[in-house]
Structures are given as structure tokens and as C-alpha cells.
Amino acid sequence: MKLLIIICGLLIIGCNSTDNKSENKISENTIQKEETSKETELQNGDLIFHTSRSSQSQAIQIATNSKYSHMGIIYKEGENYLVYEAVQPVKTTNLNAWISRGKNGKYVVKRLKNSERYLSEDGIERIKIIGQKYLGKDYDLRFEWSDNKIYCSELAWKIYKEAFNIEIGKLEKVGDFDLSNKTVQEKVKERYGSDIPKDEFVITPDRMFKSEKLITVKEK
């Protein structure tokens, strides 16, 4: 009888031990999933990149030796994510709609390395206020370095520069790009004719994407 009681006791202890381990494992997995979710959660001020399916995308990719040809700034309003972008005209677009416009629905989200230093509530408010002056402006087909019209990477670059004096990506000149490809030449002729502004400053999505000031937080 005593032996039976001891065996039953051991079985109970063993079962409880197994249950605890299982519970602990489930708890650890839940914590890991929550941590991963937090790490990949989009934030105000994140920069999002994709390959546009527009007619000029291929020319931009070839000329700049870049995979990505369009970008914008992510804002969160309530439960909705929006992308502030320079298309025709400059506007906010629902994030899912923005992603669906890209090639194969693929995109990459990047964030300022020390974003907590700049992208506080006040910082976000600052970039939104600065961005307002570009809202509704026409898309700049000639990629000129003025505020009269504006293109996608120029919009994001100027907002960060004016708000925090941060330059994300190196400025280049039109003459620095590979203009030898036939597809590029056709697009250049369409935009400039024979008067190519080779000394015009330009910031490309590629140069911003490769900036050491950014880290990748999400990729699909």
C-alpha cells in the first residue's frame, strides 16, 4: 500500500513538472512573439521604400543602379497607417494601398538609428507641420532642387533636413548618373529635351535607402 502511494506521488510530481515546463515554454514563446511584434511595429517617421511600377521606374533604377525607385514617410493616425508621399500631387495614402502599388507587393521600412532622440511627439509634430507646406504640390518630373514642385525622395530628405538638420543620404548631381542606357536616354529626352541640367542637385531613393543613419526594421 505504501509503495502504491509513493508511485502515485511520483507520477503526480512528474505530471506537474511536465505541465510547468510546457507552461514556461508557452510563456517564453509568447514573450518572444510579443518582443518581435514590438521590434517590427511601424512608427511615425519611418521611411518606406518599394519598386514603383510607373513608366519612369525602370529608367530611375538603371540610371541610379538602384533596386528601389519610390519612397515615403509613414504616419500613424489612430489605428491607421498612412504614407506621406510625392506623387501627383503630394498627399497621404493608405499604407496597404501604397504597398499594393509596388512591384510584387514588396517593400522595406527603415528608421533613424537614434529615432527616440528625434521622433518624440514634438518631433513628429514638427515633421508633420513642415510637411504641410508641400501638401498638394505637383510632382516634379524634372527632378529640380526647388520647392515649387517636388519628387518622392526630395520630400522626405527636405523634411528631415529642415526638422532636425539631418541629411539622410548623399546629394548628387544629374550628371553623376549613368545616362548611357537607351531606356534612360528616352526618359531624359522626354523630360529635358537636349538641355540636360547636369549640375542640378538630386537625392535618390537609393542614396537614402543606403544611408548609414538608417536601420532596417521591416522587410517583405
Side-chain angles (χ1 to χ4, degrees):
M1 186 65 178
K2 287 183 179 179
L3 180 60
L4 181 60
I5 293 172
I6 291 171
I7 291 172
C8 290
L10 289 173
L11 288 173
I12 292 170
I13 291 171
C15 290
N16 286 341
S17 176
T18 302
D19 289 344
N20 288 339
K21 287 179 180 178
S22 297
E23 288 174 2
N24 288 339
K25 190 172 182 179
I26 292 170
S27 179
E28 287 174 3
N29 289 340
T30 302
I31 291 170
Q32 287 175 357
K33 286 179 181 178
E34 287 177 353
E35 288 176 348
T36 302
S37 177
K38 288 177 183 177
E39 288 173 0
T40 58
E41 184 179 355
L42 301 181
Q43 295 181 8
N44 278 304
D46 284 347
L47 301 176
I48 186 167
F49 301 78
H50 73 190
T51 303
S52 172
R53 291 184 288 184
S54 69
S55 60
Q56 70 175 4
S57 179
Q58 186 180 8
I60 292 174
Q61 290 176 265
I62 295 170
T64 63
N65 190 29
S66 168
K67 180 179 179 181
Y68 302 102
S69 58
H70 188 54
M71 64 172 298
I73 301 177
I74 291 175
Y75 293 140
K76 187 176 183 182
E77 294 187 0
E79 296 301 316
N80 299 316
Y81 286 102
L82 306 172
V83 179
Y84 192 51
E85 61 171 340
V87 281
Q88 180 53 35
V90 175
K91 63 176 184 176
T92 54
T93 302
N94 176 273
L95 175 62
N96 290 332
W98 192 92
I99 290 171
S100 68
R101 289 205 328 254
K103 187 175 181 181
N104 299 322
K106 295 185 179 297
Y107 63 92
V108 177
V109 178
K110 294 211 166 193
R111 182 177 299 156
L112 207 59
K113 280 184 177 178
N114 51 348
S115 61
E116 66 282 351
R117 178 180 173 185
Y118 297 98
L119 299 177
S120 60
E121 288 187 15
D122 289 341
I124 294 300
E125 186 63 23
R126 189 184 309 170
I127 64 175
K128 285 185 175 181
I129 290 172
I130 290 169
Q132 280 293 315
K133 71 180 182 181
Y134 299 107
L135 187 64
K137 284 186 178 290
D138 289 332
Y139 183 80
D140 190 355
L141 292 171
R142 292 174 59 87
F143 303 106
E144 296 175 340
W145 198 250
S146 74
D147 292 345
N148 296 328
K149 297 180 180 180
I150 199 158
Y151 54 92
C152 66
S153 42
E154 180 189 14
L155 176 68
W157 195 95
K158 286 183 173 179
I159 287 175
Y160 266 87
K161 172 65 174 177
E162 189 171 339
F164 310 117
N165 196 30
I166 295 175
E167 297 182 2
I168 302 176
K170 178 184 176 183
L171 292 180
E172 297 174 285
K173 293 184 178 181
V174 172
D176 295 331
F177 302 128
D178 180 7
L179 307 179
S180 62
N181 182 275
K182 183 178 178 181
T183 300
V184 177
Q185 289 178 348
E186 288 176 354
K187 190 59 66 174
V188 167
K189 185 176 180 180
E190 176 187 315
R191 300 292 167 81
Y192 304 112
S194 58
D195 186 21
I196 302 173
K198 292 187 176 182
D199 290 328
E200 188 78 43
F201 281 112
V202 178
I203 183 66
T204 66
D206 179 66
R207 295 304 177 266
M208 293 191 71
F209 183 86
K210 292 177 178 176
S211 172
E212 294 181 353
K213 296 175 182 177
L214 302 178
I215 57 172
T216 300
V217 294
K218 192 167 186 178
E219 185 170 0
K220 184 177 179 182

